[in-house]
Amino acid sequence: MDNETITIYDVAREAGVSMATVSRVVNGNQNVKEATRRKVLDVIERLDYRPNAVARGLASKKTTTVGVVIPDISNSYFASLARGIDDIATMYKYNIVIANSDGDDDKEINVVNTLLAKQVDGLVFLAHDLSDKIRAEFSRTRTPIVLAGTVDHENQIPTVNIDYALAAKDATLELAKNSQKIALVSGPMINAINGKERLSGYQEALRESNQTFSEGLVFETKYSYNDGLKLAERVRASGATAAVVTDDEVAVGLLNGLVGLGVDVPNDFAIISANNSVITEFTRPALSSIEQPLYDLGAVSMRLLTKMMNKETIDEKRVILPHGFVKRGSSK
Amino acid sequence: MDNETITIYDVAREAGVSMATVSRVVNGNQNVKEATRRKVLDVIERLDYRPNAVARGLASKKTTTVGVVIPDISNSYFASLARGIDDIATMYKYNIVIANSDGDDDKEINVVNTLLAKQVDGLVFLAHDLSDKIRAEFSRTRTPIVLAGTVDHENQIPTVNIDYALAAKDATLELAKNSQKIALVSGPMINAINGKERLSGYQEALRESNQTFSEGLVFETKYSYNDGLKLAERVRASGATAAVVTDDEVAVGLLNGLVGLGVDVPNDFAIISANNSVITEFTRPALSSIEQPLYDLGAVSMRLLTKMMNKETIDEKRVILPHGFVKRGSSK
DNA sequence: TTGTAAGCGTTATCAT
DNA sequence: ATGATAACGCTTACAA
């Protein structure tokens, strides 16, 4: 008695046409007489018919859904990217299915496979680095994939990034104007591609400003406020008088930690953060920061993906978006 | 030549069994001889066969996907909820398709419909309030729906919330210990259900502490840092000496705005925020805050949804999670 | 402009 | 324990 699934067939019968015709009007095909269209539309309205996207997906081999693999949606950095992705996806009539990976290799492989099983039309992949295992998974499929905010050192997969090395270099150079001992505070993956890039930019800046590189000035930490806070003591003990920090939350923690220790920021210690997310404005002094177009990184990667799904020819598979620098109170 | 879609049929032929048998082993059906299972599994491995979830969904009428309608995934409040939702979803083998609504009625209706068209097995709906239009959409479908962090004043739809009125009352009472003029800074929807609840809690607290309610002490604003910042002047001009703020970002803005105006927080002005998200620790002084179990709100609502999708009987359709209070430097 | 019918890749119901 | 075969609800040639 609860058997009320209205199908295209019901509409066809009720409107006195074939299901092909109904399909045509539903899909906006022009080859339908205006009178018939009206009639069909009427019945659709009356029966409250809604096309079943699953059946449609099976028949057309298109799901109008893309997968988004993301380390942690509750991290504001990734959340901003995700918003950019969804807005463009929506614009092109796609939905996104989001899967958190925690940056864990096995989880990544897992979710990529279930997403592919669900026949997503494309995949946007965000991670801290690209493991060989996940690369192997990628090579098994013909589903279009683009990396957003994630460097591929093998240059195999289309990516949308900023120039992380240059950004780190710029920030370091900025600090070198006033400081002789500049620390680099990086995420847990200094050996990851993304971290490597930043490290090399940092080192290059040191060379150009005739400062010597020292392992003791490089700090690795997890991406959280508390980790930054805890790090303050060690950083001060290192004798550094400035730091480039690759994560905003960590930078806030470091700043608050140092200030809590009685350090005068920016006079005794200068800080430049990396993402210019809104939280850089929350602190006192506010954080100077490299400016990353987070939303755009997501938006552009999704746009790129639409082109790939559409089999358009891609002129440039490695998009580099410009970054900037915003000077606030934490540096001189 | 690129015609390499491996189907269950290919596996069947290759293994010398029927597709029914292949389907059985893929689905872990016990009625398969161990030898046959092995043989089939072998072929699956060799052919690198992956079941097509879309076809499966059409045949079984289950997609193992749930829709999540969310105002803005880049807002840390909602992002935390989303993470809770996804973790539990994953635990129960569901994927989530997320759609941003910007809290806009029309967009909400839109995405709900496309989600339903995609045959999601269930829906988690987050919003600032529940419009009649969206309620009408909900009543048209038999797909299970639960509201997370969203009050339904008609008590029709299962919800998972905290007691917003009580939380606002608690915070106001806390401030009333030291202040005689307490402002309420609310989101754009003071007339929305959620806002109404908070307003009533605020008013109740005023009555209990013998303070008079004044329209001039209620401020509405959008949910952003800059809106809070801009509000500082007006709030100070109102003569208020304390404020309950219903959004963390706005609270940070208000705090920084007041401090920038030379106001001594907490001595001349006390602030209590609402969500205890991590940003409450970023400011100086740090923000006292109502403590909401954001992640749990998401997790519990998803758990509730799994029960509904599973047609289990639900004992309590209106779950209220406990809230707390964290005292920091912004209040005395 | 419209209709017919063959898929799409599974699950599920009967038989056997 | 296994196999045929009919759905599932739609798209898409191909005809007419």
Side-chain angles (χ1 to χ4, degrees), chain A residues 143-257:
Chain A
T143 305
I145 298 173
V146 3
L147 306 180
T150 308
V151 177
D152 171 21
H153 67 309
E154 302 277 330
N155 280 14
Q156 287 174 164
I157 303 168
T159 60
V160 179
N161 284 123
I162 67 164
D163 185 336
Y164 297 102
L166 185 57
K169 180 181 170 184
D170 289 350
T172 309
L173 247 22
E174 174 75 20
L175 290 172
K177 292 179 190 167
N178 298 294
S179 297
Q180 293 304 310
K181 286 193 82 169
I182 304 166
L184 175 67
V185 178
S186 148
M189 298 286 203
I190 189 72
N191 281 317
I193 315 317
N194 224 306
K196 265 188 194 151
E197 294 235 318
R198 288 189 163 113
L199 180 60
S200 79
Y202 164 74
Q203 289 174 313
E204 194 177 328
L206 291 186
R207 271 196 301 280
E208 285 192 13
S209 46
N210 297 313
Q211 300 193 204
T212 54
F213 170 74
S214 153
E215 290 279 358
L217 289 176
V218 177
F219 299 86
E220 292 182 44
T221 174
K222 280 189 263 166
Y223 288 119
S224 92
Y225 171 74
N226 282 316
D227 292 305
L229 200 63
K230 280 185 238 154
L231 204 62
E233 212 147 339
R234 278 179 54 208
V235 169
R236 192 177 57 159
S238 75
T241 56
V244 176
V245 185
T246 65
D247 179 83
D248 284 350
E249 279 203 27
V250 173
V252 171
L254 179 64
L255 170 66
N256 281 352

Side-chain angles (χ1 to χ4, degrees), chain A residues 48 64 86 100 118 140, chain B residues 48 64-65 86 100 118 140:
Chain A
D48 194 21
T64 63
D86 188 45
N100 291 100
K118 293 207 171 177
R140 286 172 55 199
Chain B
D48 193 21
T64 64
T65 300
D86 188 44
N100 292 99
K118 294 209 170 174
R140 285 173 56 199

Side-chain angles (χ1 to χ4, degrees), chain B residues 102-116:
Chain B
D102 289 317
D104 177 270
D105 286 10
D106 294 329
K107 286 191 193 173
E108 284 173 355
I109 291 174
N110 234 306
V111 300
V112 164
N113 279 319
T114 82
L115 256 23
L116 291 177

Side-chain angles (χ1 to χ4, degrees), chain B residues 121-254:
Chain B
D121 295 336
L123 215 50
V124 182
F125 188 84
L126 325 199
H128 299 302
D129 74 317
L130 209 59
S131 70
D132 288 336
K133 280 198 260 177
I134 199 72
R135 194 187 299 281
E137 291 302 313
F138 286 171
S139 65
R140 285 173 56 199
T141 178
R142 267 173 307 151
T143 305
I145 298 172
V146 2
L147 306 181
T150 309
V151 177
D152 171 21
H153 67 312
E154 301 276 330
N155 280 14
Q156 286 174 165
I157 303 168
T159 60
V160 178
N161 284 123
I162 67 164
D163 185 334
Y164 297 102
L166 186 56
K169 181 181 170 184
D170 289 350
T172 309
L173 247 22
E174 174 75 19
L175 290 172
K177 292 179 189 168
N178 298 292
S179 297
Q180 293 304 310
K181 286 193 84 171
I182 304 166
L184 175 67
V185 178
S186 147
M189 297 287 203
I190 189 71
N191 282 316
I193 314 317
N194 223 304
K196 265 186 193 151
E197 293 237 319
R198 288 188 164 114
L199 180 59
S200 78
Y202 164 75
Q203 289 174 314
E204 194 177 327
L206 291 186
R207 269 195 302 279
E208 286 192 13
S209 46
N210 297 313
Q211 299 193 205
T212 53
F213 170 74
S214 153
E215 291 278 357
L217 289 177
V218 177
F219 298 87
E220 292 182 45
T221 175
K222 280 189 262 167
Y223 287 120
S224 93
Y225 172 75
N226 282 317
D227 292 304
L229 199 64
K230 279 185 241 155
L231 204 61
E233 212 147 341
R234 279 179 53 208
V235 170
R236 190 176 60 159
S238 75
T241 57
V244 176
V245 185
T246 65
D247 178 84
D248 285 349
E249 279 203 28
V250 173
V252 172
L254 179 63

Side-chain angles (χ1 to χ4, degrees), chain B residues 246-280:
Chain B
T246 65
D247 178 84
D248 285 349
E249 279 203 28
V250 173
V252 172
L254 179 63
L255 170 66
N256 281 352
L258 288 172
V259 171
L261 257 26
V263 176
D264 177 354
V265 177
N267 294 314
D268 295 343
F269 198 104
I271 299 178
I272 292 181
S273 188
N275 301 336
N276 195 40
S277 62
V278 63
I279 66 173
T280 55

Side-chain angles (χ1 to χ4, degrees), chain B residues 287-303:
Chain B
L287 284 164
S288 296
S289 182
I290 296 165
E291 190 180 10
Q292 281 197 55
L294 300 182
Y295 179 92
D296 293 345
L297 247 19
V300 171
S301 58
M302 184 61 213
R303 177 66 183 105

Side-chain angles (χ1 to χ4, degrees), chain A residues 18 25 38 126 135 149 155-156 163 243 256 322:
Chain A
S18 75
V25 350
R38 280 231 162 313
L126 324 198
R135 196 187 298 281
N155 280 14
Q156 287 174 164
D163 185 336
N256 281 352

Side-chain angles (χ1 to χ4, degrees), chain B residues 312-328:
Chain B
E312 298 175 28
T313 52
I314 310 300
D315 20 281
E316 186 49 66
K317 288 194 197 300
R318 353 215 77 248
V319 180
I320 300 292
L321 262 30
H323 63 271
F325 175 71
V326 180
K327 183 164 186 157
R328 298 199 185 84

